[in-house]
Amino acid sequence: MDWRAVAAALLLLAPALTLSGGSFTSLHPEEAYPDPEVPAEFDPYAGLVSQVQARLRALGFDAGPVNGDFGSKTQAALAQFQLSAGVAASGQLDDPTLAQLGVERSSPASVGATEPQTQR
């Protein structure tokens, strides 16, 4: 078989292979990311991230399990939400994004964050 015939066959089959229901979809590419493991250490922002994950899931974006881990799957789902909501698609939990999600950021004192202390 001629290499040109093989190349032509692959070009003809390529669209069918991408539509075969693989893990990537153009509407929700975040579904291609594996679900993250549960974080082992305490994260003072886990509560905020859990709220965001729950809200994203309620809106139809696959942010993985609601576990407070701001991993790649949650970040991808957040970026997809940002694109759909018309806010800057940064993949970060900025104030415009939180407002669109209807999630309020807690004050640093309530999440356990403190100012670093310097020694003299």
Side-chain angles (χ1 to χ4, degrees), residues 42-69:
F42 175 73
D43 180 2
Y45 297 100
L48 174 66
V49 174
S50 291
Q51 289 178 42
V52 168
Q53 289 170 327
R55 186 70 181 130
L56 287 169
R57 290 177 67 82
L59 294 171
F61 297 91
D62 186 6
V66 179
N67 62 5
D69 179 30

Side-chain angles (χ1 to χ4, degrees), residues 13-102:
L13 291 176
L17 294 174
T18 60
L19 297 174
S20 65
S23 61
F24 177 83
T25 66
S26 62
L27 295 178
H28 292 285
E30 74 276 8
E31 292 175 350
Y33 286 92
D35 287 342
E37 299 290 324
V38 176
E41 54 197 52
F42 175 73
D43 180 2
Y45 297 100
L48 174 66
V49 174
S50 291
Q51 289 178 42
V52 168
Q53 289 170 327
R55 186 70 181 130
L56 287 169
R57 290 177 67 82
L59 294 171
F61 297 91
D62 186 6
V66 179
N67 62 5
D69 179 30
F70 191 70
S72 58
K73 188 161 188 162
T74 300
Q75 192 171 15
L78 184 65
Q80 288 302 308
F81 167 77
Q82 289 170 326
L83 287 171
S84 72
V87 296
S90 64
Q92 300 299 313
L93 294 175
D94 53 18
D95 290 334
T97 301
L98 290 173
Q100 283 287 331
L101 283 169

